[in-house]
Amino acid sequence: MSTTQSERLRELLEPLVASQGLDLEEIAVDSVGRKRVLRVVVDSDTGADLDRIADVSRALSAKLDETDAMGDGEYTLEVGTPGAERSLTEHRHYVRATDRLVRFQLREGGELVARILGVDEEGLDLEVPGVKGRRATTRRLAFGDIDRARVQVEFNRKDGAGDGSGSTSDNSKNDENTTEEEEA
């Protein structure tokens, strides 16, 4: 997809997504055989459940049908959320990942896996898990020191934080942002 088409799609769709109370995170057009697939990734501070995904999908479909932004050929529209192991690239992504475990690739080399405790304009307050029976430690990490960051999936978090249940069950409630990936 050309940068011009990407920019045009973003300009067309972003206000519509925002009017639904969501952020437009990503747009991608891929060719699958003779068809094209337009993938739109949306999110919000409170997550995006299936009803919100369906509402924004209908609104985007109607808007695309009334314009020529996708050209004359057939395409499929897929609307979803960033998924469980999403990359953190914007300030709002870090805020939304508060209390989540994240793998950081550092600019100076090396890697750090830590839980985000807090976010401000300059950087992050982190809890670095203890290794081999040692206590967890806290650390400050400036945004400028981060090359890449990706949320990690946790299946057996011991303290139950973040799952809404306060328990240590394998049947804990799923995080809203991790259940609707690639819903049409």
Side-chain angles (χ1 to χ4, degrees):
M1 174 170 82
S2 72
T3 302
T4 304
Q5 184 182 21
S6 176
E7 290 171 356
R8 199 167 51 156
L9 283 168
R10 183 168 285 279
E11 287 175 14
L12 178 70
L13 302 179
E14 196 160 30
L16 190 55
V17 170
S19 75
Q20 301 281 325
L22 299 167
D23 295 316
L24 179 59
E25 298 293 351
E26 184 180 325
I27 294 176
V29 177
D30 298 311
S31 294
V32 179
R34 289 186 281 189
K35 286 189 173 183
R36 292 172 299 147
V37 177
L38 171 58
R39 289 186 177 88
V40 178
V41 178
V42 298
D43 202 3
S44 78
D45 290 344
T46 59
D49 62 22
L50 287 175
D51 291 335
R52 289 180 81 185
I53 297 290
D55 290 345
V56 78
S57 182
R58 283 189 289 275
L60 294 177
S61 181
K63 185 65 147 179
L64 290 165
D65 287 348
E66 68 186 41
T67 68
D68 68 343
M70 288 299 294
D72 294 330
E74 288 185 36
Y75 70 91
T76 301
L77 172 63
E78 294 181 3
V79 178
T81 60
E85 291 187 358
R86 62 188 171 267
S87 292
L88 306 177
T89 57
E90 304 283 335
H91 186 271
R92 69 178 178 265
H93 299 163
Y94 290 97
V95 172
R96 291 174 186 160
T98 298
D99 216 22
R100 301 288 304 270
L101 195 64
V102 175
R103 180 177 306 274
F104 297 94
Q105 299 294 322
L106 305 176
R107 287 210 192 282
E108 299 297 321
E111 184 176 275
L112 173 66
V113 176
R115 186 169 315 283
I116 297 176
L117 299 175
V119 181
D120 60 31
E121 295 304 315
E122 288 80 40
L124 311 166
D125 292 318
L126 305 173
E127 178 184 68
V128 181
V131 180
K132 296 182 181 179
R134 293 188 181 159
R135 297 187 142 231
T137 58
T138 58
R139 175 176 174 177
R140 179 78 179 160
L141 185 62
F143 286 120
D145 295 337
I146 302 169
D147 188 37
R148 287 187 315 249
R150 183 175 296 275
V151 172
Q152 301 298 288
V153 174
E154 293 181 88
F155 293 107
N156 293 316
R157 184 161 175 195
K158 300 297 182 213
D159 64 3
D163 69 49
S165 69
S167 70
T168 318
S169 168
D170 288 339
N171 299 332
S172 62
K173 195 183 336 176
N174 288 333
D175 182 331
E176 280 184 307
N177 293 331
T178 65
T179 58
E180 289 83 38
E181 186 172 355
E182 299 300 328
E183 291 294 330

